[in-house]
């Protein structure tokens, strides 16, 4: 390959990664908006079960091509189980929360998950966290409290479920760090399968007849769109540096505000916007700081924070 064509190829890759991440975040936001619409008419277990079934229809050929042995001999079985437990809890909490709260509020809670990961990493992962990141973590927690609007109303069940769900999401991320040797398709298959089984258990209790073909298509799309979003994000992280594409995940909040206003008439609260700003700023600082330290460690592994 000639030098000009190599440079052009590099530019194409550098453009493709961020574009895939942006489209992936848009699709996640669409998935969340569809979920909020559907749980208003159908049972939580029913929505999760049908969502998982549609996703498994896409996943099964991928797992088949990769080899079923990846599902039989997995590393750290108990950690795999823990990840499935937390991911299932996270899905149920999310769809419960969006049934009662504005989409942007719920997304703000979920975007705080990296802050929870950073706060628990010294205790669960043995990682060092210096005063700069502890300060950012504290600011992030202040953002969560501001979003909750400190009052007796902050202890409503949807708000509590949102905090529990975002914490479950954080623990799912942490458990994933222990399972780096497990193929992505295997992790996602277990994750979707676990949620589907839980949905199957709870679905009969609040099953509602599907009202129209359009609703059936939306229930199927809920799983398919989520799977496509996962694939786009994973691809973006593989072809571009994390430092380039990971901060783009916060565009999810912008889409949540837009779709919440467009489809559900939700007007963002001032406290939500302030809290979201603190959470996003905290998460970005933590991420940038971690990337900086990783670069330094390649030069001098023992450098202190």
């Amino acid at each position: 390959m000639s030098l000009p064509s190599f440079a052009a190829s590099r530019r194409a890759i550098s453009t493709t990664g961020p574009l895939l991440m942006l489209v992936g975040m848009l699709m996640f936001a669409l998935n969340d908006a569809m979920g909020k619409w559907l749980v208003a008419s159908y049972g939580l277990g029913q929505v999760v079960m049908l969502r998982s079934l549609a996703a498994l229809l896409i996943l099964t050929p991928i797992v088949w091509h990769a080899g079923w042995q990846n599902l039989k001999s997995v590393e750290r079985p108990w950690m795999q189980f823990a990840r499935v437990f937390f991911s299932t809890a996270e899905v149920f909490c999310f769809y419960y929360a969006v049934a009662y709260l504005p989409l942007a509020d719920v997304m703000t809670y979920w975007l705080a998950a990296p802050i929870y990961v950073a706060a628990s990493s010294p205790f669960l992962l043995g990682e060092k966290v210096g005063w700069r990141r502890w300060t950012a973590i504290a600011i992030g927690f202040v953002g969560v409290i501001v979003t909750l609007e400190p009052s007796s109303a902050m202890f409503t069940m949807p708000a509590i479920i949102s905090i529990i769900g975002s914490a479950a999401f954080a623990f799912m991320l942490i458990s994933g760090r222990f399972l780096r040797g497990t193929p992505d398709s295997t992790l996602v298959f277990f994750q979707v399968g676990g949620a589907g089984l839980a949905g199957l258990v709870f679905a009969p209790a609040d099953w509602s007849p599907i009202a129209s073909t359009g609703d059936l298509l939306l229930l199927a799309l809920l799983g398919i769109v989520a799977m496509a979003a996962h694939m786009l994000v994973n691809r973006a992280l593989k072809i571009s540096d994390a430092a380039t594409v990971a901060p783009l995940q916060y565009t999810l909040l912008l889409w949540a505000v837009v779709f919440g206003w467009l489809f559900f008439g939700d007007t963002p609260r001032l406290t939500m916007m302030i809290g979201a700003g603190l959470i996003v700023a905290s998460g970005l600082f933590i991420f940038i700081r971690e990337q900086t330290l990783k670069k330094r460690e390649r030069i001098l592994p023992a450098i202190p924070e």
Side-chain angles (χ1 to χ4, degrees), residues 30 33 36 67 77 90 101-103 112 120 161 182 195 229-230 234 260 278 288:
L30 283 171
K36 179 175 176 63
E90 179 263 332
L101 296 175
L103 192 60
S120 58
I161 292 296
T182 303
H230 276 294
N234 288 339
L278 292 172
I288 292 169

Side-chain angles (χ1 to χ4, degrees), residues 13 20 23 26 78 87 134 148 152 182 215 230 245 254 261 304:
I13 290 174
L20 291 177
V23 175
L26 171 60
W78 282 106
S87 64
W134 278 123
L148 280 168
S152 60
T182 303
D215 283 0
H230 276 294
V245 297
L254 171 63
W261 173 77

Side-chain angles (χ1 to χ4, degrees), residues 269-283:
R269 298 174 293 110
L270 177 61
T271 49
M272 188 283 293
M273 298 299 289
I274 294 173
L278 292 172
I279 291 169
V280 170
S282 172

Side-chain angles (χ1 to χ4, degrees), residues 192-204:
V192 173
L197 287 174
L200 182 62
V201 171
F202 292 107

Side-chain angles (χ1 to χ4, degrees), residues 72-103:
K72 297 177 182 178
S73 55
V74 294
E75 59 175 339
R76 301 187 180 189
W78 282 106
M79 189 60 68
Q80 299 279 357
F81 176 81
R83 187 178 185 280
V84 170
F85 173 82
F86 287 124
S87 64
T88 301
E90 179 263 332
V91 168
F92 272 85
C93 287
F94 180 85
Y95 285 119
Y96 176 90
V98 294
Y100 299 97
L101 296 175
L103 192 60

Side-chain angles (χ1 to χ4, degrees), residues 46-68:
Q46 179 181 7
V47 170
V48 173
M49 185 193 74
L50 294 175
R51 169 188 183 270
S52 300
L53 179 61
L56 285 173
L57 290 176
I58 304 296
L59 264 176
T60 300
I62 298 173
V63 174
W64 176 276
H65 183 266
W68 291 106

Side-chain angles (χ1 to χ4, degrees), residues 232-245:
L232 288 170
V233 171
N234 288 339
R235 185 61 181 165
L237 289 168
K238 285 180 179 178
I239 67 175
S240 295
D241 292 336
T244 301
V245 297

